Amino acid sequence: MQFAGSRGKEDNMVAQNRLLTGYQVVDRLIELRDLLKEGPCTRREITERMFVWYHDDASGERVLRRDMACLRQMGYQIGEDKRTRKYWLEGSSANLAFNEEEIRTLA
């Protein structure tokens, strides 16, 4: 039973995501980058391994898409197989560390 004014579990997770610091976002991006370096994985595998950051719902999917786009903007080449719906980090053309400007931008 929920009382008026109290938040459900999902509402609390959404509120926590809104309060992320820039450093937590950087941590999430680094963890995603490192997971993609390990080899191809599906969205479901990503959400299972990184459940703290990506929830198995529409909101989690949006955050993951945004993070993939952010990594691409930083120069990481992310491979995608639309048939198997797998993602991976291609080659090592991108700088594997964030520079000061990228950290400030993310914060």
Side-chain angles (χ1 to χ4, degrees):
M1 177 179 210
Q2 241 183 348
F3 298 100
S6 68
R7 292 183 167 197
K9 185 177 178 181
E10 285 183 27
D11 289 339
N12 285 335
M13 288 191 296
V14 169
Q16 287 174 342
N17 282 339
R18 288 188 186 136
L19 299 175
L20 290 178
T21 68
Y23 294 111
Q24 289 170 311
V25 172
V26 170
D27 286 344
R28 185 178 71 215
L29 290 171
I30 290 171
E31 190 174 337
L32 177 59
R33 178 205 63 195
D34 291 347
L35 177 60
L36 295 173
K37 281 174 37 179
E38 291 177 15
C41 50
T42 64
R43 281 182 195 242
R44 179 175 217 80
E45 292 167 336
I46 293 169
T47 58
E48 286 173 358
R49 295 206 32 208
M50 297 181 64
F51 63 90
V52 171
W53 302 115
Y54 306 114
H55 305 112
D56 192 17
D57 59 11
S59 173
E61 189 172 320
R62 281 191 305 274
V63 173
L64 180 58
R65 274 197 317 264
R66 223 176 13 243
D67 287 353
M68 294 276 204
C70 187
L71 289 174
R72 285 181 176 116
Q73 286 178 332
M74 293 175 156
Y76 292 97
Q77 295 177 358
I78 298 174
E80 178 180 359
D81 184 334
K82 294 191 187 291
R83 187 179 56 80
T84 61
R85 295 183 176 182
K86 291 192 175 192
Y87 303 89
W88 63 92
L89 194 62
E90 293 184 331
S92 59
S93 61
N95 180 5
L96 296 181
F98 294 102
N99 64 36
E100 289 294 323
E101 182 181 345
E102 290 168 335
I103 291 172
R104 279 194 304 276
T105 299
L106 292 170

